[in-house]
């Protein structure tokens, strides 16, 4: 969804130089194989190991934050201050801070960000809508 929205807005990032097409052994023959390979070439997504992408595994909120942070040129602001900030993985801290400061992700009950929770399709659609609004500003 994100790749398609960015492509329609002509907002896909430029591919880094020297990046070869990733060969994920577990995406061939799936409906999303082309999108996954294109997104990986742009540095937006990575596999779970050398040749595995795990396309049917749910995505965590912190993984979504990291992908969106790679797509957008967000200000370097700190939107943290959630009750569970300590649960955010080190590699996702900056993305969580920027995407939450931009209002793309919000906390739930008890001011918890829930970075390790799996995102629902409804949440993905909501975040995508917020990303598209950001691109239009």
């Amino acid at each position: 969804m994100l790749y398609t929205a960015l492509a329609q807005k002509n907002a896909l990032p430029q591919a880094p130089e020297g990046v070869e097409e990733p060969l994920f052994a577990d995406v061939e023959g799936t409906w999303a194989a082309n999108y996954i390979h294109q997104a990986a070439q742009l540095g937006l997504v990575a596999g779970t190991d050398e040749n595995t992408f795990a396309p049917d595994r749910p995505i965590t909120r912190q993984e979504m934050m990291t992908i969106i942070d790679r797509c957008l040129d967000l200000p370097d602001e700190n939107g943290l201050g959630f009750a569970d900030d300590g649960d955010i993985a080190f590699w996702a801290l900056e993305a969580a801070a920027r995407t939450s400061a931009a209002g793309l992700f919000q906390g739930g009950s008890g001011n918890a960000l829930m970075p390790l929770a799996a995102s629902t399709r409804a949440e993905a659609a909501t975040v995508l809508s917020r990303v598209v609004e950001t691109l239009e500003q």
Side-chain angles (χ1 to χ4, degrees):
M1 289 184 342
L2 180 61
Y3 186 92
T4 301
L6 292 173
Q8 288 176 349
K9 295 289 182 184
N10 200 26
L12 283 172
Q14 296 296 316
E17 296 208 17
V19 174
E20 294 183 24
E21 182 175 335
L23 300 174
F24 297 125
D26 59 346
V27 300
E28 296 310 317
T30 66
W31 66 269
N34 190 40
Y35 291 111
I36 292 167
H37 287 304
Q38 289 176 17
Q41 287 176 330
L42 295 174
L44 302 178
V45 298
T48 57
D49 63 33
E50 263 185 44
N51 67 347
T52 305
F53 183 76
D56 295 323
R57 182 180 62 77
I59 189 169
T60 64
R61 289 172 54 88
Q62 69 184 6
E63 288 171 325
M64 281 183 60
M65 292 173 191
T66 302
I67 291 170
I68 289 171
D69 187 51
R70 291 174 183 163
C71 295
L72 302 175
D73 186 22
L74 296 173
D76 196 16
E77 296 181 19
N78 185 353
L80 297 180
F82 298 99
D84 57 351
D85 283 351
D87 294 342
I88 301 169
F90 179 74
W91 52 264
L93 272 173
E94 290 180 13
R98 284 191 288 266
T99 56
S100 59
L104 300 175
F105 286 85
Q106 299 170 339
S109 62
N111 192 32
L113 185 62
M114 301 170 296
L116 303 176
S119 286
T120 64
R121 290 171 53 88
E123 180 180 28
T126 300
V127 170
L128 180 61
S129 175
R130 292 175 183 157
V131 167
V132 169
E133 288 173 10
T134 300
L135 293 172
E136 292 174 346
Q137 294 176 356

